[in-house]
Each structure stands twice: as C-alpha cells, then as structure tokens.
Amino acid sequence: MLLYDLTQKFSLQEFGIEIPLKDDRVTKTLEYLANHPVLGSLLDRFSVKVIDEEITREDLLRVHSRDYVDRLFSEKLEQEVLWAYELIDDHGNYHRYNPANARLPLSLLLKNDLDKAAGVLQCCKLALQKGFCFYFGGGSHHAQADFGNGFCIVNDIVIALRNLQANQMIEKAWVIDVDAHKGDGTAALTFRDNSITTLSIHMAKGWPLDGPEYIQGGLNPSFISSDIDIPIESGEEDAYLERLEKGLKKLEALSTPQIALVVLGADPYEKDELPSTSGLRLSLEQMKKRDLMIYRFLKERDIPQAHLMAGGYGAECWQVYANFLEHVLLEQGNR
Ligand SMILES: [Zn+2]
C-alpha cells in the first residue's frame, strides 16, 4: 500500500526558514507512478489518501520527557522549534531564519510533525494488515527524549511503535534506518530496550556525529549506539551493500519482530543536494539494490514492513523512491 495526504504539504520557506531546498519529491514520485504504463491504472487500488490516526499527549509521553512535552504545549514552543531547526547561531542570532518572510507561524511545525507521526502510525497499521506500506513522509529519527534536533521535533518512529505496543498490536519491532544520517534519536530512545531492535547504516563522519561527545556533563545522546551501527566512511560506497546485508543477518539473530519500520532515506544518493549528506555517494543503481535487499529480506521472512520517506533533498532524489515503488508495486500487481 501507499499512504499519502497531499494536504500535509508545505515548504519551510513559508515559515521564513531560508533553506532553499525544493521539496517536490512526493508529487514527482506519484506523477511518475501515475504515468506508468502498467501501474497508472492500478495506483488508486494501492493508495490510501487520508491520514485519520491521531497522536495524543499520551503517545508523546511514552517517548519524550514530561518536561519537554509540557514545553511543546506552552509559549516555549517557538524556542523549541528554533532549536530543533537550528535557526539560532552560537551568538544567539537568527540563522537562516527571517520572521519577516513568514506566512505561517513556527508553531505549525509541531502540528506538522504530529500529523506526520499520525501517518507513521497509520503506515504501521496498514503494514500489519497488508504486509507492506510506504508512507510519503515521516522518519524524524533525530528527535531526542528532551529536545528536538535536526529538523525533528518529535520522534515519529518511536511514537508509532510505542503506540502499537501499548495497544498490544505488536511486542517486538525492528527499525532499519538507511538514511545517510545516523538514527541517533531512535537509538537513544530505545537504548537497552530489547523490544525495539535498531540498525542504522550511515555516514561515519559529519552530522549528527560531529558535535562534542559530552554535553552539559552527560553523554551527547547522538553518540548512544544503535543495536547495530554500520558507519560508512567516505569512499567505502562499494562495500555498502555487503555490509548492509551482514547487518540484516545480525539483526535476525537478535530478535523476531512483528513489524519492521524502514527509515528509507534517499539522502545517501550521490545527487542529493543537502551539503551534510556529501559523505555518502551511492549511485542510483546501488540505491535500488539497497531498497530491494531490505524489501526482499523482510518479505522472505513474512515480516510486515512499514517504509518512511525520511531524508532526501534536491531535484533528483524522487527517482530513488520511484524506482523502488515501481518494482514493489509491479510485483504486488502481478499477484
Ligand atoms: Zn538524513
């Protein structure tokens, strides 16, 4: 199944945030599938176009600290958003943010994140019913227990999985995170919890691993390990697929889940335009092999799979999603 809600879409520029990346990957991917000679006529059959789940305060409190949740629902929200989107520099001045250009209030970004978390939850439920679901959003893997980070205010991955666990829909889950950036928030929020097993394959250097290892007297949570971390150095791209395959086999030895949540970032793609992804440059062909390796691995084991779009920036990244979904939908359409 494909899950998307086109009313959820707006650009950061509308908030006065000066990050000039055009995000039309959702519409471009859907256009490609709609114009496909075989899939075009099947697309409606595979699509759910309304997000009708809701994320409650209780959902947030299973994942984030009470203090942080209270701040998000107070006048301190704007400060939290400025922090999560890194809109203030070390001197306390606005950085790539001009409130004069904003048409929408920053507070709407929290609602946006909660809507996306609702999409992730719905994606998981559809995956449990149908075996496979891809949500055109989600993957806010950098949000930590007590603060937002890396454009992520709340962690939609752990929120969805905790909801499923609380409602006895699953006991155990895997998170397979192949975004270019380490799934640091997810690792920290599920550390030493055997019910959620995490794998992250990511750039060995750069954000979020370029900060100090200790902050305010404690370990920087970005350095907390996933159950399986696979750091890839710049120039090691040719070893990527083999190392991912080994990682998946290790994952299998650690637990048997009722669902796998795949954080399917397209930002390891060599044509990704976000400067902080330049440490990993996989070709389009390697990206397709990556995505199909995970898909087949889970399918062969009958593990329901919920995929999230996660990172992917610039004019070309939509092709990564389009290649993957074309293959999966053709396979499902032929059944
Ligand atoms: Zn990323």
Side-chain angles (χ1 to χ4, degrees), residues 299-314:
K299 194 159 177 243
E300 281 162 12
R301 286 154 185 81
D302 273 330
I303 299 171
Q305 41 187 312
H307 291 248
L308 311 178
M309 239 180 171
Y313 309 89

Side-chain angles (χ1 to χ4, degrees), residues 10 83-84 147 228 316 326:
F10 34 55
W83 175 266
F147 59 93
I228 301 168
E316 305 288 338
E326 177 181 19

